[in-house]
Amino acid sequence: SPASTSPAPVTPVVITIARPSLESPPGDEPLLRVHPFDEPVVDAMNLGITRGDGIFETVGIVRGAVHGVDDHLQRFARSARILELPEPDLEAYRAAVELGIEHLGDVDDAYCKYVYTRGIESRSWNPTGYAFLDANPDWTKERTTGIAVVTLTRGYALDVAQTAPWLLQGAKTLSYGVNRAVLREAARRGADDVVFTTSDGYALEGPTSTLVLRYGDHIVTPSPEHGVLLGTAQLGAFAFFESRGFSTEYRDVRADELADAEQLWLTNSQRLAAPIHRLDGRDLPIDAELTAALNDSLRRRRS
Ligand code: PLP
């Protein structure tokens, strides 16, 4: 038969978690169950679907190794606290990801999204948990040529997480309708992605990414105290920069400071570091060598 160089197609997999919370009632069913990707596993009245009332994480998996697994689990627990959900069983989620990797097979670059919802409306208030895994799309172009970005307001002041915690800023909730809507607005403006800004003039994060800025030998990211997620890829980026002698800092970043940065990236667990080549219509230089080394380091990262 003719030699083929294309990899075998990946079959996505779903793992359901029977008792995703430390407070889940005991039961006889196995904790984890493997399902084909197209088998429905969630009830139509699940609050994750009907209200977006729940949380999730997306982790990157390179050659079977989960990146930043503990950072993701800690952020998951923090999101659950902000939403006042019963405490999730982090070890059950860790095991679900590992089982999913076994079933996904030999994939170079994959991701796992795991979900935790408040349960089924008016029938059972027991949380629902599951994970699904698939091959990661190819992000080579975004990681090398970069992305065009526009700044768009999130409409809140910088201190919203402190003054109005019920708005759930700083939690990775399932309510990502706004995070998708801003991408459609960006596309209308000819851009690929967005940096959210506050009503009082600060830069925050992307709808699915963390903003990382370089000023000479100094690397900055907006402070996670102010309603942005602590990015796990950004933590990996800081480790990379520190190993190369850069200093790193979390601080409030004014939107008008973006123009002075020598290089900007948006980082996340799937796309890794995407350099910004245009911001609000202004072309920016890309340090291709530094960006390639950063992405290489993020890909090689272990837990
Ligand atoms: N900020 C938001 C709003 C996100 O949704 C994400 C990830 O999807 C990030 C930041 C980056 O987080 P991580 O680097 O852990 O993927």
Side-chain angles (χ1 to χ4, degrees):
S1 64
S4 166
T5 51
S6 55
V10 173
T11 308
V13 63
V14 178
I15 312 290
T16 49
I17 306 170
R19 291 172 296 283
S21 162
L22 291 176
E23 296 167 31
S24 295
D28 295 335
E29 349 159 40
L31 179 64
L32 305 178
R33 194 171 274 171
V34 185
H35 306 260
F37 191 62
D38 51 4
E39 184 183 311
V41 295
V42 182
D43 191 284
M45 289 296 281
N46 194 292
L47 287 158
I49 291 170
T50 57
R51 310 260 188 216
D53 193 3
I55 58 172
F56 76 103
E57 281 294 323
T58 304
V59 302
I61 300 158
V62 176
R63 277 177 238 108
V66 189
H67 281 170
V69 59
D70 292 315
D71 296 333
H72 281 284
L73 288 172
Q74 271 172 35
R75 190 170 67 186
F76 196 57
R78 178 167 184 263
S79 295
R81 280 195 297 277
I82 296 176
L83 268 72
E84 300 169 82
L85 286 161
E87 195 177 340
D89 183 347
L90 300 184
E91 293 316 310
Y93 276 89
R94 191 193 298 271
V97 178
E98 289 302 332
L99 183 65
I101 290 172
E102 270 174 44
H103 281 265
L104 202 58
D106 191 15
V107 187
D108 195 42
D109 205 345
Y111 73 96
C112 173
K113 185 175 288 209
Y114 52 85
V115 171
Y116 182 61
T117 87
R118 205 176 297 274
I120 301 170
E121 189 156 5
S122 60
R123 274 208 277 125
S124 125
W125 299 96
N126 297 324
T128 303
Y130 62 92
F132 66 89
L133 296 91
D134 197 359
N136 198 10
D138 182 4
W139 298 107
T140 311
K141 181 170 173 286
E142 288 79 0
R143 289 174 190 163
T144 51
T145 328
I147 52 176
V149 167
V150 286
T151 51
L152 292 174
T153 183
R154 191 177 252 170
Y156 300 139
L158 185 66
D159 60 0
V160 66
Q162 285 71 37
T163 57
W166 52 88
L167 295 177
L168 307 179
Q169 297 302 295
K172 198 165 166 66
T173 79
L174 293 171
S175 302
Y176 259 39
V178 167
N179 300 45
R180 306 304 289 225
V182 284
L183 293 178
R184 294 192 292 275
E185 180 60 25
R188 276 191 285 278
R189 298 177 187 216
D192 309 303
D193 211 331
V194 172
V195 169
F196 278 123
T197 55
T198 66
S199 55
D200 45 357
Y202 289 88
L204 290 173
E205 63 185 342
T208 62
S209 55
T210 311
L211 177 65
V212 176
L213 309 97
R214 180 170 83 83
Y215 296 95
D217 291 342
H218 193 53
I219 304 293
V220 173
T221 201
S223 174
E225 277 149 46
H226 284 137
V228 304
L229 296 185
L230 177 62
T232 63
Q234 168 266 312
L235 287 170
F238 268 30
F240 162 81
F241 285 117
E242 283 160 15
S243 75
R244 292 205 156 199
F246 290 79
S247 53
T248 56
E249 185 186 16
Y250 296 91
R251 68 167 170 84
D252 298 334
V253 177
R254 291 203 51 88
D256 58 20
E257 286 180 71
L258 302 189
D260 304 328
E262 275 141 83
Q263 172 87 69
L264 302 104
W265 296 270
L266 286 179
T267 64
N268 73 26
S269 300
Q270 274 193 279
R271 195 173 60 184
L272 304 181
I276 299 180
H277 71 70
R278 196 179 312 129
L279 181 70
D280 290 332
R282 200 170 64 90
D283 285 335
L284 301 175
I286 291 180
D287 185 336
E289 209 174 305
L290 185 62
T291 299
L294 169 60
N295 274 316
D296 200 43
S297 151
L298 290 176
R299 258 184 71 77
R300 280 189 285 102
R301 180 169 50 124
R302 290 289 175 266
S303 70

